[in-house]
Amino acid sequence: MIKIAITKGRIEKQVCQLLAKKGFDMDPIFHKDRELLIETKDGIQMIFAKSNDVLTFLEHGIVDVGFVGSDTLMESDYDDYYEMLDLEIGKCYFALCAYPEYKEKHFERRKKIASKYTKVAKQYFANQREDVEIIKLEGSVELGPVVGLSDAIVDIVETGSTLKANGLEVIDKVADVSTRMVVNKVSYKYKRDEIFKLINALKGDE
């Protein structure tokens, strides 16, 4: 049996639809109620969790495979896994966003940047060789510039509608985001055949 942790919500829906198209039995998952762990007749045990918890289950060997957004991977300090596949679904991107005048403004002080993704923000500005102050916000990050807490934000952009509604725009694209398949290193050694059966199916090789 192969054990999988999958991010609840959009990733769960998209990955399970993809697996169903490849012939895997996803009916118990499509028709689940509030179950958090389901076994299928294909020998798959699937856990439904928040994105950060997917990596925690993977790290502690509770599951063999995780399906999670690359944004979670980029923000996490855990990196002891193999990234096997970019499913090229759930696409969006990290961006530096601000009011239009940010591009021309001369700052006499350190810029203040609000973000939920502080590690990604720090790495971006380190690459730009800019010393900035990173402010962590958990909710609507767009509020940073709106209320004057920050000069700009680093956030995930999908449609850009929230930015536009608040007068903000994308200043610079930071990194692409998509759903990835990651594998526990021990599982890779001992469940290689099962893991590659899954990989090949998702790649369309089976």
Side-chain angles (χ1 to χ4, degrees), residues 28-188:
I29 294 163
F30 291 145
H31 297 97
K32 70 180 174 70
D33 187 12
R34 294 182 178 273
E35 298 96 331
L36 298 175
L37 187 154
I38 290 178
E39 292 184 12
T40 76
K41 64 183 181 184
D42 294 315
I44 290 175
Q45 185 182 85
M46 193 169 285
I47 296 172
F48 310 95
K50 289 188 175 181
S51 55
N52 288 328
D53 293 341
V54 169
L55 294 185
T56 300
F57 290 133
L58 198 74
E59 179 179 5
H60 291 276
I62 303 301
V63 299
D64 308 303
V65 173
F67 288 103
V68 68
S70 57
D71 55 316
T72 302
L73 300 177
M74 292 169 68
E75 190 65 17
S76 174
D77 291 325
Y78 170 62
D79 59 5
D80 191 29
Y81 56 81
Y82 295 125
E83 184 178 317
M84 304 302 298
L85 206 58
D86 180 353
L87 276 68
E88 298 186 1
I89 57 178
K91 288 186 175 182
C92 48
Y93 61 95
F94 278 115
L96 174 68
C97 309
Y99 289 122
E101 55 265 29
Y102 176 93
K103 292 180 284 189
E104 308 298 332
K105 186 175 179 180
H106 177 70
F107 291 88
E108 300 288 347
R109 53 166 175 78
R110 291 168 75 205
K111 295 174 184 175
K112 294 181 179 181
I113 310 297
S115 185
K116 176 183 178 181
Y117 304 93
T118 55
K119 185 176 179 181
V120 172
K122 287 175 184 176
Q123 185 60 56
Y124 168 76
F125 282 99
N127 292 341
Q128 301 296 315
R129 298 190 176 183
E130 282 193 66
D131 180 26
V132 301
E133 178 184 351
I134 305 293
I135 301 169
K136 186 173 180 66
L137 284 180
E138 291 286 358
S140 300
V141 182
E142 294 86 359
L143 276 170
V146 172
V147 303
L149 177 67
S150 68
D151 301 299
I153 64 173
V154 171
D155 200 17
I156 288 178
V157 176
E158 293 182 42
T159 64
S161 57
T162 305
L163 293 176
K164 187 176 180 180
N166 289 283
L168 305 172
E169 64 178 44
V170 172
I171 304 298
D172 192 19
K173 186 175 178 180
V174 174
D176 288 314
V177 173
S178 60
T179 301
R180 308 296 169 91
M181 175 184 174
V182 292
V183 173
N184 176 281
K185 288 185 175 181
V186 175
S187 299
Y188 182 84

